[in-house]
Amino acid sequence: MSVTVVGSIAFDGVSTPYDRRDRLPGGAAFHFAQAASFFTDVRVVGPVGDDYGDDHMALLATRGTNVDDVDRVAGGKTFFWKGHYHEDLNTRDTLTTELGVFETFEPELSDAAAASDVLFLANIVPAIQRKVRAQSSARWSALDSMNLWIDIARADLVAAIGDVDCLILNDEELAQLTDQRTTYAAARAIFAWEKAPSAIIAKQGSYGAQLFTADGGGFTVPVFPLESVVDPTGAGDSFAGGVVGYVAARLAADPSLTVDRDVLATALVYGTATASHNVEAFGAEKLYELPTSAIEERVARLAQLTRFDDVPVALRG
Ligand code: AMP
């Protein structure tokens, strides 16, 4: 099995200035799996309540995602998150977070989950991310987090980041974590930690994403140009799913591969193309039936839009 993801499986209530949905299948691990499953085999680890129906489980299992390690807790309630987006659809307020079965979640990886080549620690309590990382024999791992954990569990989060190969975080969160004003300075500050990842990916919302590698490499990808965005929920997780899923597919094809700047740069383009589809409908609805070719088309378009070698640049003489 190539990617194991540990994180929230949820119901989301989402409203924008234009439309709303009261109860959609969501959660960080759910959005990640929808995206990563275009590229590789995915196994999801996380708890749900007995309000999580077989129909929801079937959606989680889209494109063959393995749900054997999803624990349906008898008498428990599935994690519920409710958010409202502002006019720009870039900023949102969290209105409700009901942890439900996550309150007592103590992950024990199955043998199959522990043996995955790649591990993604979606946004959960950093101490739990560390416990999961310690149980896994993954060759390559990445982690996401959020401002809440920088506020209340910073030391655990710093330790968890030191345990993985790649940190994926919003640029505001990188600034908050390091007290630095630019994303580049924040990345340099993290690379200077005693234990640091070898790559950092800054998610920049509607501005795209940036990669920094500890050896001084970097890459920038713009956001895919869209006529309209319906629901940005899960954009970060589906971006991460595309990035990590692509890396896992490359590692599955070539076990001796080094996940370097070039591999990650391509992964950023795949993550961007995948997330661009996710935001065009509520929840992950657009991804359920999407053909992989629709992602490939946007990868090709991004390559075309960012080509530089055919643009006359005066300084080149
Ligand atoms: P994103 O839009 O990529 O930041 O991810 C939104 C998803 O994260 C939603 O589907 C939520 O269910 C989930 N989520 C929101 N808050 C939390 C939290 N505190 N812990 C875990 N997952 C969360």
Side-chain angles (χ1 to χ4, degrees):
M1 189 60 63
S2 33
V3 180
T4 287
V5 53
V6 183
S8 60
I9 303 163
F11 289 120
D12 290 343
V14 177
S15 58
T16 72
Y18 316 103
D19 206 351
R20 63 181 295 146
R21 293 286 186 280
D22 293 328
R23 197 173 161 84
L24 283 162
F30 181 91
H31 281 284
F32 177 93
Q34 293 297 333
S37 56
F38 283 103
F39 308 102
T40 193
D41 297 331
V42 183
R43 176 176 285 264
V44 178
V45 178
V48 295
D50 45 21
D51 52 351
Y52 207 77
D54 290 344
D55 47 341
H56 305 120
M57 205 67 96
L59 286 176
L60 184 56
T62 295
R63 281 178 289 279
T65 289
N66 186 305
V67 295
D68 292 353
D69 293 336
V70 175
D71 187 15
R72 204 185 251 148
V73 180
K77 271 192 76 183
T78 299
F79 182 94
F80 180 72
W81 174 83
K82 188 169 166 182
H84 175 72
Y85 287 88
H86 301 169
E87 197 71 37
D88 65 358
L89 290 183
N90 227 351
T91 47
R92 71 182 176 206
D93 296 323
T94 289
L95 305 176
T96 310
T97 303
E98 290 166 14
L99 290 179
V101 288
F102 261 94
E103 216 139 4
T104 51
F105 178 49
E106 275 290 335
E108 278 289 328
L109 291 190
S110 64
D111 290 348
S116 268
D117 288 335
V118 171
L119 175 69
F120 183 66
L121 301 166
N123 167 34
I124 35 168
V125 182
I128 292 186
Q129 292 179 315
R130 292 203 78 192
K131 277 190 198 161
V132 173
R133 181 68 195 93
Q135 292 170 34
S136 160
S137 54
R139 290 191 44 203
W140 193 83
S141 58
L143 170 154
D144 184 21
S145 190
M146 70 186 291
N147 52 357
L148 172 69
W149 309 122
I150 303 173
D151 288 336
I152 68 170
R154 191 179 182 282
D156 279 344
L157 177 59
V158 167
I161 292 169
D163 288 344
V164 295
D165 300 285
C166 180
L167 170 64
I168 303 179
L169 213 57
N170 288 339
D171 51 1
E172 300 93 5
E173 292 159 352
L174 284 167
Q176 186 190 346
L177 180 64
T178 58
D179 240 345
Q180 298 292 329
R181 281 198 216 118
T182 71
T183 308
Y184 178 71
R188 298 312 307 169
I190 293 170
F191 287 138
W193 289 354
E194 204 173 304
K195 273 189 81 196
S198 55
I200 296 171
I201 296 172
K203 295 179 285 183
Q204 299 175 309
S206 60
Y207 297 104
Q210 267 188 291
L211 164 73
F212 305 94
T213 53
D215 59 8
F219 184 72
T220 300
V221 63
V223 75
F224 186 88
L226 292 173
E227 199 77 46
S228 77
V229 168
V230 172
D231 171 19
T233 309
D237 301 306
S238 60
F239 168 78
V243 168
V244 175
Y246 174 82
V247 169
R250 290 285 302 272
L251 276 171
D254 176 6
S256 65
L257 181 81
T258 303
V259 183
D260 60 9
R261 180 264 179 205
D262 290 355
V263 174
L264 286 170
T266 314
L268 251 67
V269 180
Y270 274 88
T272 300
T274 310
S276 74
H277 285 291
N278 191 67
V279 301
E280 285 185 300
F282 270 99
E285 278 166 5
K286 191 179 169 197
L287 300 192
Y288 300 153
E289 306 271 331
L290 193 75
T292 308
S293 58
I295 295 174
E296 295 290 356
E297 279 163 24
R298 289 193 176 178
V299 167
R301 179 75 181 135
L302 276 167
Q304 199 182 44
L305 286 171
T306 54
R307 265 190 70 178
F308 198 62
D309 51 357
D310 58 350
V311 175
V313 177
L315 278 177
R316 282 194 187 161

